[in-house]
Amino acid sequence: VRGLAWPHNEIKTHDFNSFTNFQYVLSEHHLMSVNVNVFPLRRQFANINSLVPQTASADYGQKGFSVGFTDRFLFASGGVLTTQLQGMKFESNAHGQGPEDMLVTPNGWEGNFFNAYVLRSDQEEATDAFRFPQKEWEGKHELTLGAQFLRRSYRGSSDSHPVLLLRPDGTLAERIDFSGPGRLAAQDAEAALFLQDHWILNEQAALDAGLRYSGQTLGAAANLAPRLGLVFSPGAGGKTILRGGIGVFYDRAPLLGGDFVNNPARIVSFFDAQGAPQGTPLFFRNAYARDGGERGLASLSDHLHSTPLNLTWNLEADRELRANVVLRLSYLSSRSYDQFFVDPRGDPTAGPLLLLSDRGSSRYQEFQSTLHIRRTESSEWTFAYVYSRARGNLNNLGQVFVPFEQPVLRPDLFADLPSDVPHRLISWGRFKTHIWGITAAPVIDFHSGFPYSFVNVEQNYVGPPNYRRFPRFFSLDVKLWKEFHLPFPWIRNHLLRGALTVFNVTNHDNPRDVFNNTASPSFGHFVGLQHLFYDSSLDITY
């Protein structure tokens, strides 16, 4: 990570991922398979950057496994019955580097990260789907009918020690303490029915229509999600292809919302420049909210009756301009509703509250134009321009608590999201050089800078959030590789690939961090410049 001194600028990851699949052919009409996946991981100093040294960072770990079973039977009529069973156990944890209080200064974090948690979760899923034999009626129909059941749960603990907000001279401006055992547990069950039809109208047009009905114990009891897709190729030769689709997609309510009130409560105290307390400490009780009001203070998840949903539609046109040259134009609109977000708020009767609301939203729109040129089997190039906008509630529940809890919570606002990049020009390709048969694959990426906010000593927004932007990003990356066989009998049948990747060939300054605190002596200075660097690898294929 650029911006920190070596060797204290490294994120260390230790992980192992094993996926094994067993298949057994019971008959020419009957296939059974079992898969096992194991995925332990440990990441030290996971969230360091130019303003967060290793001592103030958090470690993240996970372990778990999943087991799946699939049975597929082909009937003599042509129908196919597919049964899938899947189970998973997963544990995640995070902690700081020590017991010291966390210090939030105008120049970044110091001390030790404040929060530690251990979460254990289970999930079981069963799906049955029957694809009917192809039917003839105004074209060809491939109809699928299915049912699904899913149960998930988690339990764990969350513990935090104090967070201190300091002024530039080192005096204490604000202190955040935490109260409560932080013992967490929630569960959810979901059942769904779905129907899908792939309708081939003729050689030039096809229609996909689907309907899904579902209900959750943590969330809405009944959800209806229709979806529709169309592909059409006018004229002869298939040189023009038009696609479009629209659908409603329901997500699952986050289990973290099921017992949100059991998280440790925050106690906020303010101090003047001489260290004297200013007023009475504010005790922010965790509470459920809906429609802007307090919903209840009990830990029961039945206070949450909404299921996050997304409405997405898109249009796309592909046109073959000439042999091996294709132009694609596309537009996508995606809007999400009933999203969970956290908002610290003062209530005239209930006092300070940390409210969990299920009325958040976000929206994303994208226009993309792509030109693909394929000269030979080993030579092709793609040019793409993307215009996009991403806006939403900034205090999304997942962003506040996952994978690390935020030390300071600001009032929620609807604004540009941290991932918003209005303009992006990217080009990539591959071609074989005349030097020892080496293949080259360059990538050029030029896009708008990511947004960021100005904040003050108390970490509150100064001006509109995410109003400022990092400098424009530019990078030329090149990957070179060659495949070859070694002339040794014991590995003669093994294919080796040696690769060298050069990132940011032009050594362009691409900062990752900024001193955004108005009280910092370095306010407005960009740091964490990503300079030129290399990566090499050797792969063996059996």
Side-chain angles (χ1 to χ4, degrees):
V1 175
R2 306 292 182 176
L4 297 174
W6 185 86
H8 305 294
N9 63 343
E10 296 178 340
I11 298 173
K12 301 180 180 180
T13 301
H14 314 261
D15 72 300
F16 175 79
N17 197 327
S18 171
F19 180 83
T20 305
N21 187 59
F22 302 92
Q23 287 190 341
Y24 186 71
V25 181
L26 296 168
S27 71
E28 61 180 2
H29 300 289
H30 197 179
L31 175 67
M32 183 177 65
S33 64
V34 177
N35 64 77
V36 180
N37 188 17
V38 182
F39 41 85
L41 177 145
R42 182 189 178 198
R43 182 170 291 128
Q44 295 176 276
F45 319 122
N47 58 339
I48 63 172
N49 60 44
S50 302
L51 311 183
V52 180
Q54 288 183 343
T55 53
S57 68
D59 293 351
Y60 173 80
Q62 70 177 44
K63 60 182 179 180
F65 68 91
S66 67
V67 178
F69 168 83
T70 302
D71 183 86
R72 188 171 286 109
F73 186 82
L74 173 63
F75 291 88
S77 63
V80 179
L81 176 64
T82 302
T83 301
Q84 293 180 307
L85 304 174
Q86 189 82 23
M88 180 181 69
K89 285 187 175 292
F90 181 81
E91 177 181 313
S92 63
N93 63 83
H95 57 82
Q97 309 303 322
E100 296 182 7
D101 292 344
M102 182 175 182
L103 309 179
V104 179
T105 78
N107 289 326
W109 293 358
E110 297 178 12
N112 296 141
F113 190 75
F114 74 103
N115 179 255
Y117 69 81
V118 176
L119 300 178
R120 299 176 179 87
S121 60
D122 303 271
Q123 180 171 301
E124 298 83 36
E125 182 177 359
T127 304
D128 259 327
F130 183 74
R131 190 184 70 191
F132 290 86
Q134 192 175 84
K135 302 293 184 181
E136 298 281 347
W137 180 79
E138 300 294 333
K140 300 178 180 179
H141 293 264
E142 295 177 359
L143 191 66
T144 302
L145 177 65
Q148 183 182 51
F149 176 80
L150 180 141
R151 191 202 72 88
R152 58 197 177 106
S153 66
Y154 93 105
R155 62 196 181 281
S157 63
S158 176
D159 301 288
S160 299
H161 54 250
V163 177
L164 310 182
L165 278 64
L166 306 182
R167 298 184 179 92
D169 60 3
T171 59
L172 179 63
E174 182 179 331
R175 177 186 174 101
I176 304 174
D177 293 283
F178 297 84
S179 174
R183 299 298 177 258
L184 308 173
Q187 62 180 351
D188 176 42
E190 175 184 336
L193 297 172
F194 57 90
L195 178 67
Q196 178 179 317
D197 183 23
H198 177 62
W199 184 5
I200 304 175
L201 299 165
N202 50 50
E203 294 183 352
Q204 295 175 294
L207 184 71
D208 281 281
L211 187 64
R212 179 182 175 89
Y213 178 82
S214 63
Q216 301 178 3
T217 58
L218 179 61
N223 300 309
L224 194 63
R227 55 205 66 175
L228 182 69
L230 174 67
V231 58
F232 175 60
S233 179
K239 292 188 175 183
T240 300
I241 300 177
L242 305 177
R243 297 181 178 89
I246 186 170
V248 175
F249 306 90
Y250 282 91
D251 198 357
R252 297 185 177 100
L255 290 177
L256 289 175
D259 62 345
F260 172 75
V261 297
N262 285 336
N263 281 283
R266 293 177 173 238
I267 305 171
V268 181
S269 306
F270 300 94
F271 300 85
D272 61 22
Q274 288 70 43
Q278 290 184 314
T280 304
L282 302 178
F283 185 89
F284 283 85
R285 292 184 295 167
N286 299 316
Y288 295 112
R290 190 167 180 173
D291 297 331
E294 184 181 354
R295 180 75 178 170
L297 300 179
S299 61
L300 297 177
S301 62
D302 60 4
H303 288 278
L304 304 176
H305 296 292
S306 297
T307 300
L309 68 96
N310 172 270
L311 171 63
T312 294
W313 63 272
N314 77 305
L315 296 172
E316 180 182 296
D318 290 1
R319 174 65 181 178
E320 184 179 335
L321 303 179
R322 52 182 297 183
N324 300 324
V325 179
V326 176
L327 174 66
R328 169 175 292 177
L329 301 176
S330 63
Y331 179 82
L332 180 142
S333 173
S334 178
R335 292 178 177 262
S336 297
Y337 304 92
D338 294 342
Q339 303 292 301
F340 288 77
F341 70 92
V342 178
D343 191 17
R345 185 185 306 176
D347 187 273
T349 57
L353 297 173
L354 185 60
L355 293 175
L356 176 65
S357 173
D358 56 2
R359 290 307 185 201
S361 63
S362 64
R363 57 176 181 258
Y364 176 78
Q365 57 181 351
E366 172 190 289
F367 169 77
Q368 179 172 337
S369 58
T370 304
L371 183 67
H372 180 75
I373 303 172
R374 186 182 183 90
R375 299 180 61 187
T376 65
E377 287 294 325
S378 59
S379 177
E380 58 182 336
W381 202 275
T382 301
F383 303 88
Y385 167 75
V386 181
Y387 170 81
S388 63
R389 292 303 306 271
R391 293 175 59 81
N393 291 88
L394 298 181
N395 285 6
N396 181 276
L397 179 64
Q399 294 174 336
V400 170
F401 285 96
V402 179
F404 308 112
E405 185 174 343
Q406 297 299 312
V408 182
L409 299 183
R410 308 179 184 94
D412 178 74
L413 292 172
F414 190 91
D416 290 343
L417 295 176
S419 59
D420 180 61
V421 178
H423 303 280
R424 185 175 191 183
L425 180 64
I426 184 170
S427 181
W428 67 96
R430 64 181 178 90
F431 58 90
K432 184 164 289 188
T433 69
H434 298 291
I435 304 174
W436 303 322
I438 294 176
T439 299
V443 177
I444 301 172
D445 188 1
F446 177 67
H447 62 72
S448 306
F450 289 105
Y452 70 94
S453 307
F454 287 163
V455 297
N456 58 18
V457 169
E458 289 81 18
Q459 300 294 306
N460 292 317
Y461 293 120
V462 177
N466 288 341
Y467 177 72
R468 304 287 178 170
R469 287 191 177 271
F470 281 84
R472 294 183 181 91
F473 177 93
F474 175 78
S475 181
L476 168 62
D477 307 330
V478 178
K479 182 176 182 178
L480 307 171
W481 77 84
K482 178 177 173 58
E483 297 177 344
F484 55 92
H485 294 275
L486 291 180
F488 302 111
W490 59 89
I491 58 173
R492 183 174 297 166
N493 296 325
H494 299 166
L495 181 65
L496 281 76
R497 172 186 285 190
L500 172 68
T501 306
V502 185
F503 297 91
N504 197 7
V505 173
T506 63
N507 205 27
H508 187 267
D509 289 341
N510 292 317
R512 297 291 180 91
D513 307 301
V514 61
F515 287 94
N516 65 330
N517 195 303
T518 56
S520 170
S522 302
F523 173 64
H525 183 61
F526 293 99
V527 288
L529 306 182
Q530 302 299 302
H531 296 295
L532 178 148
F533 66 99
Y534 306 86
D535 178 70
S536 60
S537 64
L538 179 64
D539 300 325
I540 303 175
T541 303
Y542 294 90

